[in-house]
Amino acid sequence: MQRRRRKFYGWGYEGDEVSSCEIAEFERAWARLLGVSNFEPAPFPRAEDISLRTPRVPIPDALHAICTTDHHERLYHTYGASTVDIARAIRGEFDNPPDVIAYPDTEDDIVNLFRWCEDANLVAIPYGGGTSVVGGVNPPSQDRCRGVVTIDMQNFDKVLEVDHRSQAARVQAGVLGPHLEQQLKPTGLTLRFFPQSWEFSSLGGWVATRAAGHFATAYTQIDDHIESLRVITPAGNIEAKRFPASGAGPNPDRMFLGSEGALGIITEAWVRLHRRPTHRTMTSVRFVDYERAVEAVRVISQSGLYPANARLIERAEAAYTGSSDGTYDILVLGFESADHPVDVWMERALNICGDFGGTWDESALRDHDVSSDADTKSWRDKFLRGPALREHAIVRGVMRETMETAITWDRFQQLHAHVKDETHHAIRVVTGRAGSVTCRLTHIYPDGPAPYFTWFAYGDKKRIPEQFIAIKHIAEQAIVDAGGTVTHHHALGRDHRPWYDNERPELFCSALRAAKKIFDPCAILNPGILFDPS
């Protein structure tokens, strides 16, 4: 059972409240964006008012100690954390809940759960922190199985070993971000990996979804943090040898990075760590010409400076968060190091920005206080609070979605214009009203950026899931049509799978099918995530 119960219809723990002042502030922002003068929120659902189908399979006596059919646990594990998930939960739609929730304590427990699922023709859904926004932990809709067992890895939550000399640690995969950093703190080391979902997402989830953290260039993809993995599959266990690098054939760990629980359950990882930074500097740079701002970011990405933050935020989004008056775009720019002062790196990056018309507050920069820049602080605070406000937006009819991609620099401007135009059109057609579509660059690479589109629309509270899906489908198709990847760091899940089918080579899909047949011969693990089940 969960140590502290999470909400079954939204973000955070039961009892966590958003203040009336904060809700009022966001209502004013939504009103400005969407032209709505009055919001009448629908009520949040109560667990006791929702009926679930009776579990379709009994728990074997040998597994009773680690399994439950508790009502709240089944509600909570039905959905992830996407807008459509939360909207359906608020509407009380729990037509396809898991039948049983398992909390294994050991790898032997996982093996026993696999054997049960194989013998009884059950689907097994590996479950990390439950923060998937693409349907990655939702039970499949196919009726090819007798039932669904969700395997929650929360008990695998320890740092098992720290190699100080190599700056690495062996960590159990179920650990959530805060507990991981709490255990590492006495060592002076840190994973320094902070996705927006950090508070509730797990190391295993980051690996299985190829997640990316906040840092723009320094500690971006989880791929680069992995030395080796230990994975339990229905066919046996795999543990790669630990090296800083190797040229010995294909890397076995890469098979499971991004596998989303379809090939096995990750139980441990050796991860690369960093010394905690002691030198930091951050500021915001203002640009009145967006295209020149993009060029500044491109030059920085190719300069070898490797900023920890380089987020270019369009003026409309900056105005929404109170970081701009709407007449300029802002670049949140930061550097950090555990070894040396970073002022010279910042000075060079600002010189580049100045070449493209950027301006900044010299006095805030001289303070060496990363929280002294008002524009940066305002945007960051609103960004971090976004997930906690999602259910409050939905009950007011406000739909918000973020769609990220990656594309080469030569094609960015075309993608930027096409996605915004198509999404604006989709919002108007689906809702009959204008909406808001903005873009920020969250991660930058020498060969291209990761654009992160955010759209808001005001919908019919009774039809939010249907309207949301219609808009998202058009917007995602626009990204793919313009040459972007379907996802930079939100993974595939069931929501992005259709576009992945066209993105990956068909022959590679055949290889994936063959790998699944070997690792998971009875096809019990998260069917439909990487390809349609046969």
Side-chain angles (χ1 to χ4, degrees):
M1 301 283 283
Q2 297 177 66
R3 297 182 180 94
R4 184 183 173 197
R5 292 209 319 188
R6 297 267 294 278
K7 295 178 186 176
F8 69 89
Y9 60 82
W11 190 261
Y13 294 109
E14 290 185 335
D16 288 349
E17 299 294 338
V18 176
S19 72
S20 57
C21 292
E22 187 175 15
I23 290 175
E25 180 184 2
F26 273 90
E27 281 190 343
R28 289 191 292 271
W30 296 331
R32 289 193 299 270
L33 277 181
L34 303 171
V36 179
S37 58
N38 184 45
F39 295 98
E40 296 181 3
F44 288 121
R46 300 188 308 166
E48 57 268 31
D49 295 334
I50 299 172
S51 298
L52 296 179
R53 71 182 174 210
T54 302
R56 293 170 290 182
V57 292
I59 301 171
D61 292 341
L63 296 174
H64 261 293
I66 62 168
C67 292
T68 182
T69 57
D70 175 81
H71 184 72
H72 184 276
E73 296 298 298
R74 294 178 68 206
L75 287 174
Y76 168 69
H77 288 88
T78 298
Y79 291 119
S82 71
T83 295
V84 71
D85 284 344
I86 294 171
R88 284 173 171 155
I90 288 172
R91 204 159 67 175
E93 291 182 6
F94 289 85
D95 301 330
N96 192 32
D99 298 277
V100 177
I101 314 301
Y103 289 97
D105 293 311
T106 66
E107 291 181 349
D108 285 344
D109 288 341
I110 296 173
V111 172
N112 291 333
L113 288 166
F114 286 166
R115 298 291 87 84
W116 174 38
C117 290
E118 289 174 334
D119 293 343
N121 190 25
L122 309 177
V123 162
I125 305 290
Y127 194 92
T131 60
S132 171
V133 293
V134 291
V137 296
N138 302 23
S141 57
Q142 299 97 343
D143 57 3
R144 56 175 286 274
C145 63
R146 289 182 54 219
V148 174
V149 179
T150 293
I151 302 176
D152 191 309
M153 294 294 289
Q154 71 168 22
N155 295 332
F156 286 71
D157 65 348
K158 297 176 179 60
V159 174
L160 300 173
E161 186 177 351
V162 177
D163 177 351
H164 292 268
R165 190 167 181 82
S166 306
Q167 292 189 183
R170 182 165 66 99
V171 184
Q172 290 185 309
V175 67
L176 302 187
H179 193 206
L180 171 58
E181 290 296 332
Q182 180 186 13
Q183 293 179 78
L184 290 175
K185 189 171 185 179
T187 71
L189 299 172
T190 173
L191 185 60
R192 209 76 184 131
F193 190 81
F194 300 116
Q196 188 181 24
S197 60
W198 176 75
E199 184 179 4
F200 296 111
S201 55
S202 69
L203 172 62
W206 303 337
V207 175
T209 61
R210 298 186 67 192
H214 284 325
F215 295 100
T217 59
Y219 321 116
T220 304
Q221 301 293 128
I222 194 65
D223 306 38
D224 299 326
H225 292 73
I226 299 302
E227 280 191 336
S228 69
L229 297 176
R230 180 170 171 81
V231 185
I232 310 303
T233 82
N237 302 344
I238 289 182
E239 185 168 10
K241 292 186 180 297
R242 178 187 166 220
F243 303 112
S246 173
N251 186 327
D253 295 326
R254 296 308 191 220
M255 176 66 74
F256 298 96
L257 282 160
S259 60
E260 300 193 40
L263 303 177
I265 292 182
I266 299 162
T267 58
E268 293 179 13
W270 270 99
V271 294
R272 297 181 176 96
L273 303 177
H274 313 273
R275 286 186 292 151
R276 293 181 179 274
T278 54
H279 304 275
R280 294 188 185 90
T281 183
M282 183 176 288
T283 193
S284 59
V285 184
R286 300 181 178 188
F287 292 89
V288 295
D289 185 318
Y290 182 72
E291 290 191 6
R292 297 190 74 196
V294 171
E295 278 299 286
V297 174
R298 181 188 64 80
V299 173
I300 290 172
S301 75
Q302 297 170 348
S303 67
L305 292 171
Y306 300 112
N309 273 291
R311 293 177 179 249
L312 180 60
I313 304 164
E314 280 187 342
R315 61 196 63 187
E317 180 178 351
Y320 168 74
T321 62
S323 304
S324 166
D325 62 7
T327 63
Y328 56 86
D329 313 293
I330 66 170
L331 171 63
V332 177
L333 185 63
F335 291 85
E336 63 178 41
S337 172
D339 178 75
H340 53 266
V342 290
D343 303 51
V344 174
W345 280 258
M346 176 64 86
E347 181 180 355
R348 175 59 191 138
L350 289 175
N351 286 338
I352 293 171
C353 292
D355 291 341
F356 292 92
T359 61
W360 55 92
D361 184 346
E362 288 282 3
S363 62
L365 193 60
R366 284 194 300 270
D367 290 341
H368 291 276
D369 180 359
V370 297
S371 64
S372 65
D373 186 293
D375 289 353
T376 298
K377 186 177 186 305
S378 179
W379 179 83
R380 182 179 182 276
D381 290 348
K382 295 293 194 305
F383 172 76
L384 293 176
R385 290 297 290 160
L389 270 295
R390 182 169 289 159
E391 63 254 36
H392 295 276
I394 291 169
V395 296
R396 287 162 172 78
V398 176
M399 293 180 281
R400 173 185 179 273
E401 173 69 333
T402 55
M403 309 176 306
E404 27 68 64
T405 184
I407 195 165
T408 51
W409 288 110
D410 62 313
R411 296 178 292 168
F412 167 67
Q413 292 291 5
Q414 179 184 357
L415 175 137
H416 177 264
H418 182 66
V419 173
K420 291 187 72 173
D421 287 348
E422 289 293 298
T423 308
H424 272 299
H425 179 69
I427 291 171
R428 185 172 290 280
V429 168
V430 171
T431 68
R433 309 173 64 103
S436 168
V437 186
T438 59
C439 176
R440 65 178 179 268
L441 304 186
T442 61
H443 303 76
I444 56 172
Y445 307 94
D447 49 343
Y452 198 101
F453 294 91
T454 301
W455 57 263
F456 284 88
Y458 186 68
D460 180 345
K461 288 193 286 289
K462 296 180 180 179
R463 299 176 56 236
I464 292 293
E466 293 77 16
Q467 291 182 321
F468 175 88
I469 291 170
I471 296 169
K472 179 179 170 67
H473 183 91
I474 293 171
E476 291 289 352
Q477 189 63 50
I479 287 175
V480 173
D481 288 346
T485 177
V486 69
T487 180
H488 172 261
H489 58 260
H490 280 168
L492 297 175
R494 308 190 191 286
D495 298 349
H496 286 168
R497 242 292 315 289
W499 293 282
Y500 177 63
D501 288 353
N502 294 321
E503 184 171 317
R504 57 136 204 260
E506 188 56 36
L507 188 58
F508 180 69
C509 181
S510 298
L512 278 179
R513 288 182 181 275
K516 184 169 177 67
K517 188 173 183 179
I518 291 171
F519 292 131
D520 181 19
C522 295
I524 62 172
L525 285 168
N526 222 2
I529 287 291
L530 300 179
F531 45 77
D532 289 332
S534 57

